[in-house]
């Protein structure tokens, strides 16, 4: 009995332990004895446990995804709370909202049939969102990708990411071999990327590009087209690194940040210092100085984790993402319905590349572009959109009831 | 106080996170190995076609029991909604001497290694069985 409990419930139990321990720790943080932490962690644990229980009851699909993601979110919340308790508390609320959206998307996508038919609908909705962002958007840190509605800032590109995946999936499910259809499709995809470029949201543009290449590589029958796209993308990347100032700065800060340490390279060098200061086991939560890095609670959360939980903590985060991506591909391989197969691949690659771009960025492996680390970084839109995407992935992990088209066109 | 706690907790945290990852991986591993355990010591049919090229549901692996029938009708042990498959199409017998296949008067017939079968035939490892649009590989245990 005990053994069975340990084996089957071990991840859930550990998750609860991590949260309770962190509550215990943060309660003593800076000798403030903050009462709100008790309530918030109890809420957090209850939310994770109850939603996990509900999920086991209602979903026949994959049950690891949610656990992995709750662990990632827990690590994120602990770190954000330690950096700024106000943000931490807000992040817990966003986590709750995210789970609500997770279930909403899960039920909507499952119940409503005909997602594969609304090719033009996806295009129109996302273009409206882009135009609204362009007109009403406020400029924050060089990127025009926020709109404010009633005091809450929303980042429409997070929603467009999901719609984009649906667009690609819907195109390849209804694929007919007409030439002008293909050019229209390419035009639409590049208009997405062009809009993101105009809004200076380079990280998201990169994610869109990668996801597009992956889906193209898997489903496009005209192989030459793929190589043209990749070569074209590379040329645009290289040219813009010389001509566009915004991109140029990133490349300068990437090649040699030490030379520009007081300006362009400040953020990245601070991040490297933080990772270096951590060592194997970290300085211990609350004992490091990750607050020296600008934007540490959003884009640079990974450096903060590396500093205070050590490189082992950082590797653990990467491993959790690996499991997530592995499960995502497994889901895509097992899915029978073509539309949901492509959606599963699209969502998995979106999450995976997003994690890769920002983790690679903060450790100076690739040029830094500001995207959030999914599920970990502070930010309502990002967390809610990631949970919504996870809900869709959960639907894709189940067997989809097909509309059986019996006896049309065949003999018998 | 806080400093002391934090220094201890850093090891505990990392240990727990890794145990968590280990737990998840173990569960995934058990999932995969239990799929193999189902097949166990039974002969089974393995799909040769690519799954996404068939416009109906079909599994990758079907385990053969003592008597297994394939057909389009819902009463069969293995139901495949292929319009080229008859309501009751083919029957497998697992006996002591070996595994036998018999066509039960299907409209489009059953092919064993490209040859249409008439009587009950004994199967050998690696035989290819074509039923409707679906092609299976017979695997002995």
């Amino acid at each position: 009995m005990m053994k069975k409990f340990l084996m089957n419930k071990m991840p859930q139990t550990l998750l609860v332990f991590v949260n309770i321990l962190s509550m215990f720790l943060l309660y003593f943080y800076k000798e403030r004895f903050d009462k709100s932490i008790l309530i918030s962690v109890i809420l957090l644990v209850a939310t994770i446990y109850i939603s996990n229980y509900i999920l086991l009851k209602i979903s026949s699909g994959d049950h690891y995804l949610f656990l992995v993601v709750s662990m990632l979110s827990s690590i994120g919340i602990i770190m954000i709370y330690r950096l700024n308790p106000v943000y931490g508390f807000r992040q817990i609320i966003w986590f709750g909202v995210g789970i609500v959206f997770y279930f909403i998307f899960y039920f909507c996508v499952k119940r409503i049939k005909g997602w594969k038919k609304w090719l033009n609908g996806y295009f129109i909705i996302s273009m409206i969102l882009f135009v609204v962002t362009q007109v009403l958007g406020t400029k924050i840190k060089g990127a025009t990708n926020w709109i404010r509605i009633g005091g809450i800032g929303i980042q429409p590109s997070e929603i467009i990411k999901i719609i984009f995946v649906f667009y690609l999936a819907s195109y390849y499910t209804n694929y007919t071999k007409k030439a002008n259809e293909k050019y229209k499709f390419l035009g639409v995809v590049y208009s997405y990327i062009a809009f993101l470029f105009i809004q200076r949201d380079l990280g998201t543009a990169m994610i869109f590009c990668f996801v597009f290449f992956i889906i193209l590589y898997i489903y496009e029958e005209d192989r030459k087209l793929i190589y043209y796209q990749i070569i074209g993308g590379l040329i645009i990347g290289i040219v813009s690194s010389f001509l566009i100032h915004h991109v140029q700065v990133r490349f300068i800060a990437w090649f040699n940040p030490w030379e520009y340490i007081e300006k362009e390279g400040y953020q990245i060098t601070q991040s490297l210092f933080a990772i270096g200061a951590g060592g194997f086991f970290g300085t211990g939560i609350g004992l490091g100085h990750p607050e020296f890095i600008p934007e540490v609670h959003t884009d640079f959360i990974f450096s903060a984790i590396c500093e205070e939980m050590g490189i082992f903590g950082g590797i653990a985060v990467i491993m959790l993402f690996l499991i997530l991506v592995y499960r995502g591909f497994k889901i895509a391989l097992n899915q029978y319905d073509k539309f949901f197969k492509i959606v599963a691949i699209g969502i998995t690659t979106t999450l995976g590349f997003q994690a890769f771009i920002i983790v690679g960025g903060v450790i100076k492996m690739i040029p830094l572009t500001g995207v959030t680390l999914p599920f970990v970084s502070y930010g309502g839109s990002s967390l809610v959109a990631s949970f919504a995407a996870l809900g869709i992935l959960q639907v894709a992990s189940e067997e989809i009831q097909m509309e059986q088209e019996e006896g049309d066109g065949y003999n018998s | 106080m806080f400093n002391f706690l934090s220094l201890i907790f850093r090891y505990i945290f990392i240990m727990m996170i890794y145990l968590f990852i280990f737990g998840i991986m173990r569960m995934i591993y058990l999932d995969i190995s239990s799929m193999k355990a189902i097949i166990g010591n039974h002969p089974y049919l393995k799909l040769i076609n690519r799954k996404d090229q068939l416009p109906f549901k079909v599994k990758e692996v079907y385990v053969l029991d003592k008597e297994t029938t394939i057909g389009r009708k819902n009463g069969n042990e293995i139901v495949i909604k292929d319009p080229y498959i008859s309501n009751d199409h083919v029957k497998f017998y697992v006996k002591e001497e070996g595994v036998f296949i018999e066509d039960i008067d299907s409209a489009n017939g059953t092919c064993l290694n490209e040859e249409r079968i008439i009587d009950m035939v004994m199967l050998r490892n690696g035989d290819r069985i074509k039923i409707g649009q679906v092609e299976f590989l017979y695997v002995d245990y």
Side-chain angles (χ1 to χ4, degrees), chain A residues 7 10-11 14 17-18 21-22 24-25 28-29 64 67-68 71 75 281-287 309 312 315-316 319-320 323 326-327 336 399-400 402 410-412, chain B residues 1-3 5-7 9-14 16-28 31-32 51-52 54-58 72 81 83-84 108 133:
Chain A
M7 287 310 164
M10 190 176 83
L14 279 171
F17 269 130
V18 166
L21 276 181
S22 63
F24 192 63
L25 187 66
F28 289 103
Y29 180 50
Y64 311 113
L67 280 174
V68 169
M71 191 61 175
I75 295 173
F281 286 96
T283 55
I285 289 170
L287 302 178
M309 295 186 182
F312 283 131
I315 291 171
M319 272 167 88
L320 287 170
I323 296 177
Y326 161 74
R327 286 314 293 178
Y336 185 79
E399 265 185 57
I400 307 289
M402 281 199 300
Y410 300 105
N411 74 339
S412 116
Chain B
M1 175 69 180
F2 175 77
N3 289 9
L5 272 178
S6 183
L7 284 177
F9 276 25
R10 63 182 186 177
Y11 296 110
I12 301 176
F13 266 135
I14 287 168
M16 278 187 155
I17 294 169
Y18 276 90
L19 270 178
F20 175 84
I21 292 173
F22 172 74
I24 296 267
M25 281 180 168
R26 199 174 157 281
M27 277 159 76
I28 292 172
D31 235 31
I32 295 168
K51 235 177 168 182
D52 46 359
L54 298 170
F56 42 82
K57 249 182 226 177
V58 58
R72 212 174 48 197
K81 297 278 182 199
Y84 287 95
N108 292 317
Q133 302 174 64

Side-chain angles (χ1 to χ4, degrees), chain A residues 82-121:
Chain A
R82 172 256 172 275
L83 291 165
N84 188 337
V86 180
Y87 284 168
F89 198 71
R90 258 190 249 160
Q91 180 78 350
I92 291 173
I93 293 167
W94 281 121
F95 180 76
V97 176
I99 285 185
V100 171
F101 268 84
Y102 172 82
F103 282 110
I104 291 174
F105 268 75
Y106 174 75
F107 282 116
C108 284
V109 174
K110 199 173 171 183
R111 291 275 177 274
I112 300 169
K113 302 286 173 203
W115 289 99
K116 58 190 85 168
K117 289 170 203 145
W118 303 327
L119 184 69
N120 293 321

Side-chain angles (χ1 to χ4, degrees), chain A residues 146-162:
Chain A
W146 285 86
I147 46 173
R148 299 208 145 267
I149 301 171
I152 302 169
I154 300 175
Q155 216 171 349
S157 62
E158 299 283 349
I159 307 158
I160 296 169
K161 242 182 261 170
I162 298 174

Side-chain angles (χ1 to χ4, degrees), chain A residues 214-265:
Chain A
I214 293 276
I215 307 262
L216 202 67
Y217 184 76
I218 299 172
Y219 283 101
E220 182 57 56
E221 277 161 19
D222 184 359
R223 305 307 289 178
K224 264 188 209 148
L225 192 72
I226 302 161
Y227 303 120
Y228 291 153
Q229 305 304 316
I230 293 173
I231 293 166
L234 276 176
I235 291 170
I236 292 171
I238 292 165
V239 167
S240 63
S241 73
F242 286 110
L243 294 180
I244 301 170
H245 176 70
H246 202 73
V247 186
Q248 220 173 0
V249 172
R250 309 296 173 100
F251 270 92
I252 287 171
W254 176 52
F255 279 127
N256 193 358
W258 310 103
E259 212 172 303
Y260 307 93
I261 192 162
E262 62 292 317
K263 202 161 165 273
E264 287 96 347

